[in-house]
Amino acid sequence: PAAGRGPAMMNRAVTTLFVLLATTTPAWAYVCTAVPGAGHTLWWEPRNIPILQHVACSLDVPDEAACKAAVTAAMQAWTEVPCTDFTFVDVGDTTNPRAGYDWRRPDDNHNVVVFREGTGDPQDAWPHTPGALAITTVTFNSRTGRILDADIEVNGALRGQNQYTFGACNVDGSDCAGKQDIQNTLTHEFGHVLGLDHPLERDATMYGSAEPGEL
């Protein structure tokens, strides 16, 4: 959908949602996200992208430090890729749970990671596809493909028979049975922040679904 203050801005910028599902249903290991209806792809002008984590991590992980460390490790996975100078920078916490882009105050926008837990607070509700593990919202200039903002929301609000349980799993996965590993989920989502789309290769980090227990 287009987003902006008026028709002129709406012609130049759009917001794209990327959905990660928890189901399985295979080829390049990565695909660049293209501007809809155009040939060019999304890109960041700055090479160091600041990321804010919301102060409340997943309610499924009692050890908040371990939860936040898993989010930071997901950023680091892309920063450590040797063939690029692009980096994600963990710049600390925020108390603001808002995702999306405010065109009225462009300097007040930040790239955030927030867990939606459905605690009853309207700001903590999950407003997206019920079956999605997480969604990344990327706002960009449709004429150039330059990314302006990217936010990750993780679905901790799903309740009932198909409730997701998140975990900051051990590297061997020994404690991850039936859980969605936070680092695995967020590594995928940070790929969307970077400007990548879903490939067909089932073993790729950016494949569009993830089984419980996957690292």
Side-chain angles (χ1 to χ4, degrees):
R5 280 187 282 184
M9 184 64 74
M10 291 175 69
N11 288 333
R12 295 201 300 270
V14 296
T15 297
T16 297
L17 298 179
F18 298 93
V19 180
L20 177 62
L21 301 174
T23 56
T24 56
T25 341
W28 291 100
Y30 73 92
V31 176
C32 293
T33 302
V35 175
H40 47 286
T41 58
L42 303 191
W43 56 280
W44 285 96
E45 184 172 31
R47 308 308 296 163
N48 301 304
I49 305 305
I51 304 293
L52 282 169
Q53 296 190 46
H54 189 261
V55 290
C57 206
S58 173
L59 293 179
D60 293 331
V61 183
D63 186 344
E64 187 171 285
C67 183
K68 290 183 176 295
V71 178
T72 301
M75 300 182 210
Q76 194 66 22
W78 294 105
T79 295
E80 291 178 351
V81 173
C83 60
T84 177
D85 63 344
F86 185 92
T87 62
F88 287 121
V89 182
D90 186 349
V91 293
D93 292 344
T94 177
T95 58
N96 187 350
R98 183 182 63 83
Y101 194 80
D102 187 347
W103 294 100
R104 299 166 300 176
R105 303 177 181 85
D107 292 338
D108 292 342
N109 291 290
H110 302 282
N111 310 303
V112 301
V113 179
V114 57
F115 285 77
R116 304 292 187 200
E117 300 289 351
T119 57
D121 183 338
Q123 290 188 312
D124 197 34
W126 178 256
H128 307 295
T129 304
L133 272 174
I135 282 185
T136 296
T137 303
V138 178
T139 303
F140 56 91
N141 185 312
S142 62
R143 291 181 178 176
T144 65
R146 183 171 68 89
I147 299 173
L148 306 175
D149 180 81
D151 303 304
I152 298 172
E153 297 169 88
V154 183
N155 184 5
L158 185 64
R159 296 293 182 261
Q161 183 177 359
N162 297 316
Q163 178 181 355
Y164 300 139
T165 300
F166 288 93
C169 302
N170 293 332
V171 293
D172 62 0
S174 59
D175 61 344
C176 209
K179 298 178 182 178
Q180 300 292 341
D181 180 44
I182 290 172
Q183 183 175 339
N184 183 68
T185 301
L186 270 296
T187 301
H188 175 100
E189 296 305 317
F190 277 115
H192 289 314
V193 174
L194 178 64
L196 299 180
D197 207 340
H198 294 146
L200 296 178
E201 177 54 55
R202 190 179 295 272
D203 291 335
T205 296
M206 294 308 299
Y207 186 68
S209 68
E211 296 182 358
E214 180 180 303
L215 300 177

